[in-house]
Amino acid sequence: MRIIGRRTQRPISFEACAVALIEGARFNDEIHRLPTGNNTFIPKGVYRFESHDAANCHQQDCLIAGMAKIAGERA
C-alpha cells in the first residue's frame, strides 16, 4: 500500500471548536460545488482504466454522447 500525505485526527471533545466548525463548513461548501453525473455527462460510479488514454477516451465518449443528447433536445 502506498501512503500519500498524512491527516491528523482532531480529538473528540465536549466543547465546540471554531476551527473545526470553519473547516467543516468549508468542506461542505466544496462538496456542494462538485459536479454531479448530470453536469459532466459521465454516469456515476467507480471506473478503473488501464491507462490515462483509456480514461480520456471514456471521458470524451461520454462528453460527445451528452452533447448529442442536448443537441437532440434543442432541435
Side-chain angles (χ1 to χ4, degrees):
M1 180 187 328
R2 188 172 164 199
I3 298 174
I4 302 173
R6 300 262 185 238
R7 183 175 70 170
T8 58
Q9 293 290 331
R10 296 207 178 268
I12 297 174
S13 66
F14 291 105
E15 297 175 5
C17 174
V19 174
L21 180 64
I22 291 169
E23 286 181 7
R26 284 185 186 150
F27 176 77
N28 190 38
D29 290 342
E30 293 301 318
I31 289 295
H32 286 290
R33 288 185 189 152
L34 289 174
T36 62
N38 295 334
N39 293 344
T40 60
F41 306 118
I42 299 174
K44 289 184 180 180
V46 177
Y47 299 93
R48 299 179 193 273
F49 300 100
E50 295 290 326
S51 65
H52 288 287
D53 290 333
N56 290 341
C57 213
H58 178 260
Q59 181 183 19
Q60 186 177 13
D61 290 344
C62 291
L63 181 62
I64 291 169
M67 291 174 71
K69 179 180 176 185
I70 289 175
E73 291 172 356
R74 291 181 182 173

